[in-house]
Amino acid sequence: MRILPINNFYAKNVSTNSNALVHEQYNSQAIETLPAYNQIFNARNVSRRVLDIDNESFVKLSDTMKKLYRMKCKDFAKIIDFEKLENPNKRYLPLMQDSDMESFLTCCIDKFNMLKGSPIICLGRSPKWFLNTSYWMKDGIEDYKFVAFSGSWYRQGLWGLVKENSKMPTKEEQNAYKNYLKSIQADPASIVKTAKETGKKVVITDYIRTGKGLKSYLEVMSNIAEEQGVLEDFAKSIRFHLFSCQEYLDDLYGEKAPTPSLNLPEKLAPYREEIPSYWVNIPLDITLQILENKNTNECRATYYPPKAWGIYLPNNYRTGMIPNSLMDKLKEHSPKSAVNFTTQMRDYRNLLNFRILDYLEQKDLLR
């Protein structure tokens, strides 16, 4: 039985799968032979879609449909239009090798299942594959809250991170972001309330290299916390679960790189001793496939730099597809802030979801 934490700090998973009826239609057709694969998944000549897959829809799939999806994963390199991926050079579906999948699941079990029992904030898209998998598996986390945040206004200087004031969000943009956080109960006051009622610090988890994005996020949060009169309480209500890959950083910089660390903005710096941070190292093979591969980005709606804050709310688009009209508005307002999310990118995400869920089920690890 699933138990929601106090005050619904976690957003309850609501099925918004627009293809649920199509799932049912395929299953109701009682497809019993795999040649139907060629009809359902016609490769390049039609506008095709891989049906949206999450844990709820996966368990409803018939054995035949699972076989069809396995064939789709296997044939990925033959049928995908690589030019319509975010990174056309990544011509593979991650985790198709069982050894890679085992390494990925070990990461989820050893480095993320430990968060079980704590309220969790997933900052940005990078942690989602790990947290989703932990949530899907037995003895994993109960749930988590996703908070969209992209970009930064810091750069790496000789002696640390340097703020670039010209890149900071405007007051209007910060107010829009505050309203977004309040709408999902992830603003500082809500975090403080959750920590008090659960008796546990709220875990903020993020993938970091330099920490520029995390510091930018915390600067906005500390400004909001100060406005809400909860700055000190906010600092005492959070802890960090940060992850990176030391081997990747060493290769990137051509020398032994410093271990990534938490960079606090000015307003939170006095509370450093109150804010625990834990760092975990992710293997290089998983880093390259899941974290440093732009094709694994969850969706275009959760790419959320400051220029997008006043245009749409990510929580309104659970399938990940903001309307084209809003994409056009974002491109007009800030062309560099808009990213593509093609049909092929959605196929990619859904096939990777299926691959993980299917492997969990085969290994009797699925919740």
Side-chain angles (χ1 to χ4, degrees):
M1 179 178 179
R2 183 176 167 197
I3 301 174
L4 288 179
I6 295 175
N7 281 330
N8 292 327
F9 175 73
Y10 299 119
K12 184 177 180 181
N13 284 345
V14 178
S15 176
T16 56
N17 184 359
S18 61
N19 298 291
L21 293 178
V22 184
H23 269 299
E24 293 174 5
Q25 181 183 11
Y26 284 159
N27 286 327
S28 67
Q29 289 173 348
I31 301 171
E32 295 180 357
T33 58
L34 293 182
Y37 169 81
N38 292 323
Q39 298 175 355
I40 298 174
F41 295 129
N42 195 354
R44 293 182 181 274
N45 298 325
V46 297
S47 177
R48 58 170 178 73
R49 280 280 310 281
V50 176
L51 306 180
D52 288 340
I53 292 288
D54 58 18
N55 58 324
E56 294 180 359
S57 58
F58 174 82
V59 298
K60 297 177 183 177
L61 289 178
S62 67
D63 289 342
T64 297
M65 286 300 293
K66 289 176 183 178
K67 289 178 182 178
L68 295 176
Y69 273 105
R70 289 181 198 123
M71 292 177 68
K72 184 71 167 176
C73 290
K74 184 178 180 181
D75 289 346
F76 174 83
K78 299 177 182 178
I79 62 176
I80 199 71
D81 186 346
F82 294 111
E83 298 307 316
K84 293 183 179 179
L85 295 181
E86 186 72 13
N87 186 348
N89 294 323
K90 300 289 185 180
R91 296 174 175 244
Y92 64 90
L93 189 67
L95 308 181
M96 283 301 295
Q97 297 296 321
D98 287 354
S99 58
D100 290 336
M101 181 64 79
E102 289 292 338
S103 179
F104 173 72
L105 293 184
T106 297
C107 279
C108 295
I109 293 170
D110 292 348
K111 304 179 188 301
F112 291 90
N113 284 12
M114 66 172 62
L115 301 178
K116 182 178 181 178
S118 296
I120 304 167
I121 283 179
C122 170
L123 184 60
R125 297 170 293 182
S126 297
K128 289 192 78 173
W129 292 107
F130 299 93
L131 292 176
N132 281 349
T133 304
S134 179
Y135 171 66
W136 293 336
M137 69 170 55
K138 297 174 182 177
D139 298 321
I141 61 174
E142 289 85 0
D143 210 341
Y144 67 88
K145 181 182 292 295
F146 174 75
V147 174
F149 186 92
S150 305
S152 73
W153 44 91
Y154 284 88
R155 61 176 174 82
Q156 188 69 51
L158 291 176
W159 308 108
L161 299 182
V162 179
K163 185 190 292 187
E164 297 183 282
N165 291 320
S166 62
K167 294 184 178 180
M168 284 193 63
T170 65
K171 185 64 175 176
E172 291 75 16
E173 288 167 346
Q174 291 193 60
N175 282 335
Y177 192 70
K178 177 175 67 175
N179 291 334
Y180 158 61
L181 293 174
K182 291 175 70 175
S183 73
I184 60 172
Q185 297 180 27
D187 59 304
S190 296
I191 289 175
V192 169
K193 185 176 181 181
T194 297
K196 288 182 177 179
E197 294 183 341
T198 62
K200 297 179 179 180
K201 289 178 179 285
V202 175
V203 179
I204 300 175
T205 184
D206 192 19
Y207 171 62
I208 62 172
R209 284 196 273 173
T210 62
K212 295 184 294 185
L214 180 59
K215 187 171 185 178
S216 299
Y217 162 78
L218 290 174
E219 184 167 20
V220 173
M221 291 294 281
S222 62
N223 290 340
I224 298 172
E226 189 174 61
E227 290 176 13
Q228 294 177 329
V230 296
L231 181 61
E232 182 175 356
D233 286 341
F234 171 66
K236 294 179 179 180
S237 299
I238 56 176
R239 65 184 179 96
F240 290 88
H241 190 81
L242 307 175
F243 58 100
S244 192
C245 175
Q246 190 66 57
E247 187 176 357
Y248 176 79
L249 294 177
D250 292 346
D251 290 344
L252 186 66
Y253 296 111
E255 57 185 16
K256 181 64 177 177
T259 300
S261 58
L262 177 64
N263 285 286
L264 293 174
E266 182 180 356
K267 291 177 181 177
L268 287 178
Y271 307 104
R272 183 175 300 276
E273 297 302 317
E274 303 280 355
I275 307 175
S277 62
Y278 184 75
W279 180 80
V280 297
N281 191 30
I282 303 296
L284 180 61
D285 56 344
I286 301 306
T287 297
L288 294 176
Q289 291 188 56
I290 297 295
L291 298 171
E292 293 294 336
N293 180 355
K294 291 183 180 180
N295 293 329
T296 60
N297 288 345
E298 173 71 8
C299 59
R300 74 184 187 191
T302 54
Y303 178 69
Y304 205 50
K307 296 301 181 184
W309 293 353
I311 294 178
Y312 64 89
L313 296 176
N315 51 309
N316 289 342
Y317 305 102
R318 296 181 185 225
T319 62
M321 296 291 285
I322 65 173
N324 287 333
S325 59
L326 291 182
M327 277 299 291
D328 292 341
K329 184 177 180 181
L330 182 57
K331 288 177 181 177
E332 284 181 26
H333 186 55
S334 179
K336 292 183 179 180
S337 297
V339 296
N340 292 323
F341 190 72
T342 60
T343 297
Q344 283 72 20
M345 282 292 294
R346 191 166 186 171
D347 289 352
Y348 187 105
R349 178 195 68 184
N350 289 327
L351 285 174
L352 187 50
N353 273 352
F354 172 81
R355 165 66 177 157
I356 295 170
L357 287 159
D358 189 43
Y359 196 87
L360 288 173
E361 183 180 59
Q362 292 180 48
K363 295 296 181 179
D364 195 29
L365 292 172
L366 190 63
R367 183 191 297 271

